[in-house]
Amino acid sequence: MIFEVAVILLALLWALSVWYFLNYARRQREAVAHQQVIDAMRDQRIKDLNKRLDDYQNGSVRMGEAIHEVRAVVAGLPDRLERLEQHDPSSVTFTQAARLVSMGASVSELTETCGLTQAEAELMSKLHRSE
């Protein structure tokens, strides 16, 4: 009788151990599947960020090239502007009139010196005295 009870207890203990092991194995499979989903989402996010980074880098390179081209075009403009200002010494430009205003020239002096109309001289005086 004791032997039979021991066998029954061992059988129950064995069944409980098998159930516990199967339950543990199922939880492990679920954890692995969940981790794979998380890994796939992380990998996709990394790919998206890499693509965005590449786009930003390409945009920066294109912008740098455009700035370089603009810088090359703009580099000669001060000399060109000076040549244009000095091209006809008999005509005084608005730039020269602005310089005269900044030095304190009056509206009547602007009309006489620069050949500006009264309205142009007043406008130049108002614009460049307010600076």
Side-chain angles (χ1 to χ4, degrees):
M1 169 93 175
I2 293 180
F3 181 73
E4 293 170 351
V5 171
V7 170
I8 292 174
L9 278 174
L10 284 176
L12 287 175
L13 186 60
W14 179 81
L16 184 63
S17 297
V18 169
W19 175 83
Y20 181 76
F21 174 76
L22 292 175
N23 194 22
Y24 176 77
R26 182 183 52 81
R27 284 194 317 255
Q28 288 294 78
R29 281 193 306 270
E30 289 172 357
V32 167
H34 180 69
Q35 187 62 44
Q36 287 174 342
V37 169
I38 290 173
D39 290 348
M41 289 172 34
R42 183 198 61 231
D43 291 346
Q44 184 60 43
R45 179 77 174 142
I46 289 172
K47 285 179 185 176
D48 292 344
L49 290 174
N50 278 336
K51 184 181 180 322
R52 287 178 62 189
L53 180 62
D54 288 343
D55 292 344
Y56 285 134
Q57 286 175 336
N58 291 335
S60 295
V61 168
R62 285 192 305 271
M63 190 181 308
E65 291 169 351
I67 288 173
H68 182 69
E69 291 172 8
V70 168
R71 195 176 285 161
V73 169
V74 171
L77 289 181
D79 294 335
R80 243 178 112 185
L81 180 62
E82 191 172 324
R83 279 187 277 134
L84 285 173
E85 287 176 350
Q86 296 173 355
H87 182 64
D88 187 8
S90 63
S91 68
V92 179
T93 65
F94 284 106
T95 306
Q96 292 167 329
R99 287 185 195 142
L100 289 174
V101 170
S102 66
M103 293 186 327
S106 67
V107 173
S108 61
E109 290 173 334
L110 289 177
T111 56
E112 293 172 12
T113 308
C114 301
L116 299 175
T117 65
Q118 182 74 20
E120 290 173 334
E122 289 174 2
L123 179 62
M124 289 297 290
S125 179
K126 287 181 182 178
L127 284 174
H128 293 284
R129 284 184 200 251
S130 63
E131 291 178 351

